[in-house]
């Protein structure tokens, strides 16, 4: 009797299991995506939303988000909406590699926007290349970034060109012959930009009369500044980030060093003047765009950003906005979500009316475009000159 009942129970259990009515305790299958999420286009954004240069990461997020909102409001791409999956790499190269791996393998993004800092892009690019996932850096200017593979792009100019442009401006526009350098030894961007500026400045007939360094996180720069003052330069080139520049400027003025300070695009942040204040009066720095430029693409972007955030957008906002729009344009031209087809169309980008310049991708996946040299005067940042490629 018991045997018969057991046989009948096993038979019923087998039928129910075959019909999918009962689970035998195996790991549950991954839940199927909803119709809405299945129709989306997943794009990964990785940036240092926290950490030492958090305003750069937040600017990347805000620029990409505004672009995605605009694109989706206009009907999306290929009838689908762009869905941004945003990851915080905490400003660390190892974490950048980790979150990019997650975005590609777990979230299955079709492309990546990021990073802004060159050292984080250099950590992430080999992973994107290995998985043949297009990656567009908004503002990593180190030339090695795009050399990591043919799936790696950028929408900013490179450090060799930026360095040459700043050197030309310093030599030709300002008429300086003797310049000192103060660079960050822990920052690939700073080291590279210092090298390219120095090389171009010497070729133009100028002299680098002092070459001092510090490390990210330092807060006392007086010994370096004192050594620089002894060399009697006409200006100090500081290829660092806004986080250090303001403190360096204050300490220079405390030491009665009233020389003009000159920098690169790493200075660009709403925090720059908050930190440095009047100590930055008369300083110059390179940037990718000028908020007051009178072009339709710039006016549209600035107006929408102001309405959304209540302030002017900075260059990283503009560059991440451009990177997202270029990606969407490439997807539309590819006609599919095939990563190889999207990569090919990004590479074919010609005369794209970006906020940070009209963009054409070169064979090396780097755009060539003008450099804006900005001046800080009476607590405001204005345009000094455009240096053409």
């Amino acid at each position: 009797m018991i045997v018969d009942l057991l046989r009948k129970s096993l038979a019923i259990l087998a039928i129910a299991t075959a019909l999918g009515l009962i689970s035998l305790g195996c790991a549950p299958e991954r839940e199927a995506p909803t119709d809405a999420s299945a129709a989306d286009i997943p794009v990964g954004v990785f940036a240092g939303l926290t950490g030492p240069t958090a305003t750069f990461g937040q600017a990347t997020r805000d620029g990409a988000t505004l672009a995605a909102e605009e694109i989706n409001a206009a009907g999306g791409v290929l009838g689908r909406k762009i869905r941004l999956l945003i990851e915080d790499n905490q400003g660390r190269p190892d974490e950048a590699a980790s979150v990019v791996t997650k975005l590609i393998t777990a979230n299955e993004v079709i492309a990546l926007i990021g990073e802004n800092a060159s050292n984080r892009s250099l950590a992430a690019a080999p992973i994107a290349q290995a998985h043949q996932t297009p990656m567009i850096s908004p503002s990593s200017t180190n030339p090695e970034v795009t050399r990591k593979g043919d799936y790696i792009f950028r929408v900013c100019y490179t450090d060799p060109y930026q360095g040459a442009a700043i050197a030309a401006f310093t030599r030709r526009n300002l008429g300086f012959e003797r310049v000192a350098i103060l660079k960050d030894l822990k920052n690939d961007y700073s080291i590279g930009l210092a090298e390219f500026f120095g090389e171009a400045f010497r070729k133009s007939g100028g002299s680098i009369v002092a070459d001092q360094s510090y490390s990210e996180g330092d807060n006392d720069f007086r010994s370096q500044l004192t050594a620089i003052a002894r060399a009697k330069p006409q200006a100090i080139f500081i290829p660092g980030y806004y986080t250090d520049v303001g403190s360096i400027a204050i300490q220079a003025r405390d030491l009665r060093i009233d020389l003009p300070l000159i920098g690169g695009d790493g200075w660009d942040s709403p925090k720059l003047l908050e930190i440095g204040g009047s100590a930055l009066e008369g300083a110059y720095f390179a940037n990718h765009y000028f908020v007051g430029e009178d072009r339709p693409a710039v006016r549209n972007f600035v107006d929408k950003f102001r309405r959304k955030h209540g302030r002017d957008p900075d260059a990283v906002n503009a560059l991440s906005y451009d990177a997202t729009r270029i990606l969407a344009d490439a997807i539309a031209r590819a006609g599919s979500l095939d990563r190889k087809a999207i990569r090919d169309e990004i590479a074919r980008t010609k005369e794209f009316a970006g906020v940070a310049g009209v963009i054409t991708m070169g064979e090396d996946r780097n755009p060539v475009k003008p450099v804006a040299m900005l001046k800080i005067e009476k607590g405001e940042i204005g345009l000094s000159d455009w240096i053409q490629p």
Side-chain angles (χ1 to χ4, degrees):
M1 181 72 173
I2 293 175
V3 174
D4 290 339
L5 286 173
L6 182 58
R7 285 174 178 166
K8 288 179 181 179
S9 297
L10 290 172
I12 293 169
L13 180 61
I15 293 170
T17 300
L19 293 174
L21 300 175
I22 296 177
S23 170
L24 292 181
C26 297
E29 293 183 4
R30 182 181 298 176
E31 184 179 350
T34 63
D35 290 342
S37 66
D40 289 344
I41 300 174
V43 174
V45 177
F46 66 106
L49 303 177
T50 58
T53 55
T55 63
F56 286 160
Q58 293 159 12
T60 296
R61 174 199 62 199
D62 293 345
T65 299
L66 179 59
E69 289 172 352
E70 282 187 11
I71 293 162
N72 292 341
V77 184
L78 305 180
R80 303 181 180 190
K81 291 185 176 181
I82 290 178
R83 176 166 51 95
L84 298 182
L85 289 83
I86 302 172
E87 292 284 345
D88 178 15
N89 60 46
Q90 304 166 34
R92 294 164 39 201
D94 60 334
E95 190 64 18
S98 177
V99 299
V100 163
T101 300
K102 174 182 177 290
L103 286 166
I104 296 172
T105 61
N107 300 124
E108 299 180 347
V109 299
I110 57 98
L112 296 157
I113 303 296
E115 228 268 3
N116 39 49
S118 294
N119 60 349
R120 272 107 72 179
S121 285
L122 288 168
I127 297 166
Q129 181 66 29
H131 289 277
Q132 296 189 330
T133 301
M135 168 181 150
I136 306 177
S137 169
S139 57
S140 291
T141 51
N142 188 301
E144 290 301 320
V145 170
T146 50
R147 292 173 185 164
K148 295 300 180 184
D150 60 354
Y151 276 75
I152 314 302
F153 298 83
R154 74 178 106 221
V155 293
C156 58
Y157 44 65
T158 64
D159 282 336
Y161 179 67
Q162 177 181 192
I166 299 170
F169 175 81
T170 302
R171 189 77 180 88
R172 184 178 66 229
N173 294 52
L174 301 181
F176 294 154
E177 298 179 355
R178 297 168 55 82
V179 172
I181 293 175
L182 179 54
K183 61 180 180 286
D184 179 357
L185 282 181
K186 284 189 177 179
N187 189 321
D188 293 334
Y189 159 80
S190 185
I191 294 169
L193 187 54
E195 177 185 345
F196 299 124
F197 169 84
E199 181 181 353
F201 192 70
R202 291 186 187 97
K203 284 183 179 178
S204 69
S207 299
I208 304 299
V209 297
D211 191 346
Q212 293 287 317
S213 62
Y214 64 94
S215 295
E216 182 180 20
D218 289 352
N219 53 30
D220 188 346
F221 310 95
R222 288 176 177 82
S223 63
Q224 296 96 320
L225 289 167
T226 300
I228 285 172
R230 285 198 295 266
K232 297 182 179 180
Q234 294 167 291
I236 305 173
F237 179 56
I238 311 172
Y241 287 158
Y242 69 93
T243 44
D244 298 318
V245 170
S247 298
I248 291 170
I250 291 170
Q251 291 179 30
R253 303 322 179 204
D254 288 345
L255 292 169
R256 298 186 179 181
I257 300 172
D258 295 323
L259 301 171
L261 307 180
I262 302 170
D265 61 321
W267 285 30
D268 185 58
S269 169
K271 296 286 186 182
L272 177 67
L273 290 176
E274 288 183 27
I275 298 170
S278 61
L280 288 164
E281 185 71 14
Y284 299 88
F285 67 97
N287 212 349
H288 299 266
Y289 97 121
F290 175 54
V291 69
E293 187 182 1
D294 190 20
R295 282 194 298 121
V298 178
R299 291 197 303 269
N300 171 71
F301 167 69
V302 172
D303 288 346
K304 289 183 176 180
F305 193 93
R306 282 172 176 166
R307 288 199 298 269
K308 184 176 175 67
H309 295 283
R311 62 172 178 83
D312 282 348
D314 61 25
V316 179
N317 290 138
L319 290 164
S320 57
Y321 176 88
D322 282 350
T324 306
R325 290 175 62 236
I326 284 174
L327 173 61
D329 180 66
I331 294 170
R333 287 185 282 115
S336 74
L337 300 187
D338 178 74
R339 291 183 178 92
K340 171 68 164 57
I342 294 168
R343 188 226 78 89
D344 291 347
E345 292 304 327
I346 297 171
R348 293 189 184 106
T349 298
K350 301 291 182 185
E351 297 184 357
F352 183 89
V355 174
V358 177
I359 297 169
T360 295
M361 284 293 172
E363 292 183 3
D364 53 4
R365 301 169 303 286
N366 299 322
V368 178
K369 54 188 183 181
V371 173
M373 290 302 303
L374 307 183
K375 182 178 182 180
I376 300 172
E377 196 168 21
K378 296 179 180 179
E380 300 289 336
I381 298 174
L383 179 67
S384 180
D385 199 2
W386 289 101
I387 304 299
Q388 297 291 337

